[in-house]
Amino acid sequence: MYFAETLAQYVPSSLKNITVTNCPRISQDAFAYCSSLEKITLTDGMYLDHLNAQGIDNSGCDSLTYNEYGNCAYIGTVSNPYYLLVKMSSDTATSIEIHPDTKIINGEAFKDNASLSSVTIIGTLDYMGRSVFENCSKLETVVLEEGINNIVANMFYNCASLREVQMASSITEIGSYSFYGCTSLTSVVIGDSVTSIGRDAFYGCSSLTSIEIPDSVTSIGNSAFSGCTSLT
């Protein structure tokens, strides 16, 4: 058993179990070459300001086991086995169901997936990393439930098949590059709670014919709607 409060460097490769306590950052290579690692346990209430899928998933941890639910793989805490959604557990699944107890979705959790076609993102999350669905080439429909307050940077970057997004009225921020290159997106309704739209947020959305921007929006980043050639 190994207890860690910071994971900015490599952890011992001989470990089988690790409990992470009070750690705000897990670096990309923290678990590199931990071929014996079987279980990671997080702490309830942790807020991780940087998680990268490669930091856990592609680090040579071939013995690591995950908790599974709804075609997703999780790392948990003592009381919540579904605390952190790391990745899809099936590369061929067309849909997922996020467990209602999930608090964090790993950055790049679904990046480059070529099967996922629809997703509903629960409104009780505490945090999502950037680029969660980047380059999901088959993703067509997305529902963002009430309670979600921001669309993170690069969230749907280059999701070329995305045509429908139901945005929660609780969203206050649309991050930079969030819908960059979503060439099939035809319309977007932005809720009255949104105050900022990041740079290049809808860049290259060439099929976008209409968008409603409420008076609540006080900041629009550079090139937010550049390349939206069908807007009238």
Side-chain angles (χ1 to χ4, degrees):
M1 183 70 72
Y2 181 81
F3 291 88
E5 293 187 359
T6 179
L7 284 175
Q9 299 177 345
Y10 296 139
V11 298
S13 60
S14 59
L15 287 177
K16 289 190 175 182
N17 297 282
I18 184 169
T19 298
V20 184
T21 60
N22 231 358
C23 175
R25 181 181 178 89
I26 296 178
S27 68
Q28 179 168 324
D29 297 317
F31 300 103
Y33 313 115
C34 291
S35 57
S36 299
L37 188 60
E38 297 176 356
K39 184 177 182 180
I40 300 173
T41 302
L42 303 176
T43 304
D44 285 308
M46 287 179 63
Y47 175 78
L48 302 174
D49 63 10
H50 177 83
L51 277 165
N52 188 300
Q54 287 89 343
I56 296 174
D57 185 30
N58 297 330
S59 51
C61 300
D62 299 331
S63 300
L64 186 62
T65 58
Y66 296 95
N67 305 313
E68 295 190 11
Y69 178 89
N71 293 322
C72 295
Y74 296 82
I75 289 175
T77 67
V78 172
S79 62
N80 179 4
Y82 306 105
Y83 188 82
L84 165 63
L85 194 164
V86 178
K87 61 177 181 176
M88 286 186 71
S89 57
S90 169
D91 291 335
T92 60
T94 58
S95 64
I96 61 169
E97 182 180 355
I98 299 173
H99 194 279
D101 292 338
T102 302
K103 296 302 179 185
I104 299 173
I105 297 180
N106 205 14
E108 303 181 8
F110 306 99
K111 183 180 178 182
D112 297 329
N113 180 276
S115 299
L116 188 64
S117 62
S118 63
V119 65
T120 296
I121 304 175
I122 60 175
T124 52
L125 294 171
D126 291 338
Y127 179 78
M128 283 187 287
R130 64 183 294 157
S131 302
V132 175
F133 297 97
E134 181 175 331
N135 202 35
C136 287
S137 58
K138 298 292 181 64
L139 186 62
E140 296 183 359
T141 60
V142 171
V143 177
L144 303 169
E145 290 189 346
E146 291 299 325
I148 295 173
N149 55 29
N150 70 313
I151 298 175
V152 297
N154 296 61
M155 188 167 183
F156 302 106
Y157 185 100
N158 202 34
C159 290
S161 298
L162 185 63
R163 55 182 174 77
E164 181 182 357
V165 179
Q166 297 181 33
M167 290 195 190
S169 61
S170 54
I171 291 172
T172 61
E173 178 182 355
I174 299 174
S176 299
Y177 307 97
S178 49
F179 295 97
Y180 186 107
C182 292
T183 54
S184 297
L185 193 63
T186 57
S187 65
V188 175
V189 178
I190 298 175
D192 292 337
S193 296
V194 175
T195 60
S196 67
I197 300 173
R199 66 172 298 164
D200 296 295
F202 295 93
Y203 187 102
C205 293
S206 54
S207 298
L208 192 63
T209 58
S210 66
I211 187 166
E212 299 178 21
I213 302 176
D215 293 339
S216 59
V217 175
T218 58
S219 173
I220 298 178
N222 293 338
S223 303
F225 299 98
S226 291
C228 296
T229 53
S230 298
L231 275 179
T232 56

